[in-house]
Amino acid sequence: MPNSNGPRKKSRKKLRNKPRESGTSPPQRAVAEYDVGQKVHLKIDPSVPDGRFHPRFDGRTGEVTGTQGDAYTVEIVDGNTEKTLIVTAAHLTEQE
């Protein structure tokens, strides 16, 4: 039988909470606000299915370029290519 090539392929550890972090996420993470030009870290929160980006970009750092509804557009550099991701606040943390 052929292997699956779905969007969650090879992401078992990325899309799983540690035992102490299981359950619902803190609400302040989902309502956090970011300014245009602010640097943010991308980390998928497995408890929040909406507003996810492709697991390939997990752990990257990007810059907020605007908003799109309740989500933010984040620009990252993938190799030599600039890419724009649409991500909700639950999957972002600000860079200090």
Side-chain angles (χ1 to χ4, degrees):
M1 188 160 198
N3 292 335
S4 172
N5 294 317
R8 296 184 183 187
K9 180 183 178 184
K10 295 187 178 179
S11 61
R12 177 177 294 183
K13 291 190 178 176
K14 290 180 184 179
L15 298 179
R16 184 175 66 190
N17 272 330
K18 303 285 186 260
R20 285 180 180 250
E21 299 169 358
S22 64
T24 58
S25 299
Q28 57 266 37
R29 197 181 310 162
V31 297
E33 294 186 4
Y34 300 99
D35 300 323
V36 174
Q38 188 173 5
K39 294 280 189 178
V40 290
H41 297 296
L42 299 166
K43 176 67 181 91
I44 293 178
D45 183 359
S47 304
V48 182
D50 293 335
R52 273 187 193 161
F53 47 89
H54 196 280
R56 167 190 312 136
F57 305 118
D58 198 43
R60 299 282 183 103
T61 300
E63 184 176 339
V64 176
T65 56
T67 59
Q68 186 167 332
D70 292 335
Y72 294 94
T73 55
V74 179
E75 194 168 280
I76 63 165
V77 178
D78 187 27
N80 295 329
T81 309
E82 291 185 357
K83 296 186 177 181
T84 302
L85 305 175
I86 301 169
V87 186
T88 55
H91 306 290
L92 299 174
T93 55
E94 66 177 283
Q95 183 179 21
E96 296 177 2

